[in-house]
Amino acid sequence: MMNKDQRLRNIFYLLLSIIVAAGIWYYVDESSGRIVFQTVWDIPIEYTGEATLADNGLMLVEGDDSGTSTTVDITYRGTRRHIVQLDRSKVRVTADLSGITSAGVQTVNITPSYTDRGFNQSNTAIDKQSIYVATVNICELSHKEVELRCELTGNVAEGYSAGKVQLSQTIIQLRGQEADIEAVSYAKVIFDIGKNAKETVTSELEYQLYDENGQIIDKSSIHTEAGQIQATLPVYVTKELKLTVDFQEAPGALLKDMVYAIKPDSIMVSGDATVLNGMDSIVLDSFDLLSVTTENTSHSYAILVPDGCENLSGVTRATLEIGYPDRVTQTLTATRIQLENVPSGRDVEVLTSELLVQIFGTAEALHQVSAEDVIVTADLSDYAVASGTYMVPASVKVGDGTSVGVSGTYQVQVRIPEAQS
């Protein structure tokens, strides 16, 4: 009996002899240029140019009973090394329909191709085909318009309301065989607005075709309009907006010292939630508080709601009533007079030693003011090269410059010497 080592050696020599024999066979087969054949069955025919066909009012009739060719068998020949590498997925057969201008059964040339560039006429070629032209059944297109409907899913949040769905189009144009398009009753999109929508929702949607029983119809044999349908659902909110005025304050004319009322002080507005969700008030106009006197005055303003919104209150104008009941005036003699932007190198003399200044504000604010709190400043920026005596406009500041205002305009007299050479 053979021992284990002898058996292993025998198996090794057997495998080696098989490999060597296969190599010799392959070498002889390749060196001799032996040609082999392989058939690829049932390659689908791709029809191109259907858009041009439709522009001519025609269409290709397809299906088992249509008479239109659907597949072709192709036999390839070539060296064994190349033929065994043929990949069915890379075999393509096309037929161009763009040159057809009339209905009826007719033929068109088919064009086979192999998309792998490693194969060419020098190593692989077509030996034969089951057909060299395709039979096509061409019919005239029928036309039909159907209504586009919208089915809503989802809900709007509590306190909000939805308007009418707006579609980018409400009619769908169909073209195809009369028997196919006559079965279509309507088209429909399904519009999901989500859960608790609080603002206007817009989506791009695909539509489906339905028969009169609400069953979806396969539209592969029907020419339909390309593109998606844009659907918009306005979501409205009803909101109370406060009416306000943009008060312009000034020294001695502070809003906290005024007595005012806006009538009405608010209105109810309904509109697009996208617009109103970020609003809590409507500004009627701006108002300069320096114009307010001790007596109440009345000012009327139009109430303008945002575009696309509705004023539910029915009131179109609001009234501002405002007064400054605690306003008092007082005259002080200002002695603190100063200059700024004095021309360089010149000793300017202030000829005005005292200036009567009229101030106003609340009684409490004026009670705390003395002449020492009044500062008069003359700006000489416009007199940089001037010399002589001038009355120069001056500004007046009282205290911190907020609680007490100044009435009137003021100027001080100064003498500017000539510049020294």
Side-chain angles (χ1 to χ4, degrees):
M1 290 182 64
M2 292 185 292
N3 59 33
K4 182 178 180 180
D5 291 341
Q6 289 175 322
R7 287 198 301 272
L8 291 175
R9 281 196 297 272
N10 289 341
I11 292 172
F12 171 75
Y13 290 133
L14 176 62
L15 292 174
L16 180 62
S17 63
I18 292 173
I19 293 171
V20 171
I24 294 172
W25 173 80
Y26 179 78
Y27 173 77
V28 171
D29 191 58
E30 283 295 303
S31 61
S32 66
R34 180 182 175 189
I35 300 299
V36 295
F37 300 86
Q38 180 168 319
T39 301
V40 182
W41 307 93
D42 297 325
I43 305 167
I45 300 174
E46 301 174 35
Y47 289 100
T48 62
E50 290 193 78
T52 303
L53 196 65
D55 290 340
N56 293 329
L58 304 170
M59 69 172 290
L60 175 67
V61 182
E62 298 179 274
D64 294 338
D65 300 326
S66 65
T68 296
S69 301
T70 57
T71 62
V72 59
D73 305 329
I74 299 179
T75 300
Y76 290 89
R77 70 173 184 273
T79 61
R80 182 182 299 278
R81 180 164 63 91
H82 288 95
I83 286 296
V84 296
Q85 297 181 57
L86 275 173
D87 185 349
R88 174 188 175 86
S89 66
K90 295 180 180 179
V91 178
R92 187 182 180 201
V93 176
T94 59
D96 185 10
L97 304 176
S98 60
I100 297 178
T101 58
S102 61
V105 176
Q106 46 203 295
T107 58
V108 291
N109 292 326
I110 61 175
T111 304
S113 61
Y114 195 75
T115 57
D116 189 335
R117 295 183 179 179
F119 293 86
N120 51 60
Q121 291 292 332
S122 65
N123 55 50
T124 307
I126 295 175
D127 181 64
K128 61 181 179 179
Q129 300 175 192
S130 59
I131 58 173
Y132 291 87
V133 293
T135 300
V136 291
N137 186 1
I138 306 297
C139 71
E140 293 185 354
L141 281 172
S142 295
H143 299 260
K144 184 178 181 180
E145 291 184 347
V146 294
E147 172 194 11
L148 176 63
R149 302 176 185 176
C150 180
E151 178 182 323
L152 276 177
T153 63
N155 69 292
V156 295
E158 188 71 26
Y160 294 76
S161 61
K164 183 179 180 181
V165 175
Q166 301 163 5
L167 300 176
S168 56
Q169 62 189 80
T170 57
I171 297 295
I172 299 296
Q173 301 280 348
L174 306 179
R175 293 183 297 176
Q177 294 186 72
E178 185 171 358
D180 290 333
I181 65 174
E182 279 303 313
V184 181
S185 179
Y186 60 91
K188 185 175 73 174
V189 293
I190 298 178
F191 186 9
D192 183 4
I193 64 171
K195 184 178 180 180
N196 296 328
K198 293 184 178 179
E199 59 183 26
T200 296
V201 184
T202 299
S203 293
E204 298 289 335
L205 306 172
E206 299 283 351
Y207 63 86
Q208 294 286 350
L209 303 180
Y210 292 80
D211 64 17
E212 60 181 6
N213 298 316
Q215 299 299 312
I216 294 179
I217 292 177
D218 180 12
K219 58 182 180 180
S220 60
S221 61
I222 300 174
H223 292 272
T224 58
E225 296 180 65
Q228 294 182 313
I229 303 299
Q230 185 181 76
T232 300
L233 179 71
V235 176
Y236 301 119
V237 63
T238 299
K239 198 170 185 181
E240 182 177 10
L241 298 182
K242 186 177 179 61
L243 300 181
T244 64
V245 172
D246 181 18
F247 292 108
Q248 306 295 311
E249 295 186 313
L254 304 178
L255 185 60
K256 68 180 182 65
D257 299 325
M258 309 289 171
V259 175
Y260 72 94
I262 299 174
K263 301 177 181 179
D265 61 353
S266 66
I267 60 170
M268 296 300 295
V269 176
S270 175
D272 194 320
T274 307
V275 176
L276 293 181
N277 276 345
M279 292 185 64
D280 55 17
S281 62
I282 294 175
V283 179
L284 299 171
D285 204 347
S286 61
F287 186 85
D288 185 1
L289 291 178
L290 279 174
S291 65
V292 182
T293 63
T294 55
E295 297 181 358
N296 277 10
T297 56
S298 181
H299 308 269
S300 179
Y301 301 97
I303 301 174
L304 303 178
V305 299
D307 289 344
C309 296
E310 182 182 359
N311 182 349
L312 301 180
S313 299
V315 182
T316 59
R317 300 193 69 84
T319 301
L320 168 66
E321 295 179 353
I322 189 167
Y324 194 169
D326 195 27
R327 172 174 169 150
V328 294
T329 61
Q330 183 180 338
T331 300
L332 292 178
T333 301
T335 57
R336 296 178 63 184
I337 301 174
Q338 61 187 26
L339 303 176
E340 65 181 11
N341 297 314
V342 177
S344 177
R346 285 188 277 179
D347 187 13
V348 178
E349 180 183 0
V350 179
L351 302 180
T352 302
S353 58
E354 295 180 346
L355 193 64
L356 293 178
V357 175
Q358 187 178 59
I359 61 176
F360 65 90
T362 64
E364 180 183 356
L366 265 57
H367 180 70
Q368 299 176 17
V369 173
S370 67
E372 286 297 312
D373 298 315
V374 181
I375 300 175
V376 180
T377 303
D379 185 358
L380 301 183
S381 297
D382 295 334
Y383 300 85
V385 295
S387 61
T389 301
Y390 298 93
M391 294 298 293
V392 178
S395 61
V396 180
K397 179 181 177 182
V398 181
D400 61 5
T402 59
S403 58
V404 177
V406 178
S407 299
T409 58
Y410 299 90
Q411 53 188 358
V412 298
Q413 189 176 49
V414 299
R415 180 182 294 122
I416 305 174
E418 292 185 358
Q420 297 297 319
S421 58

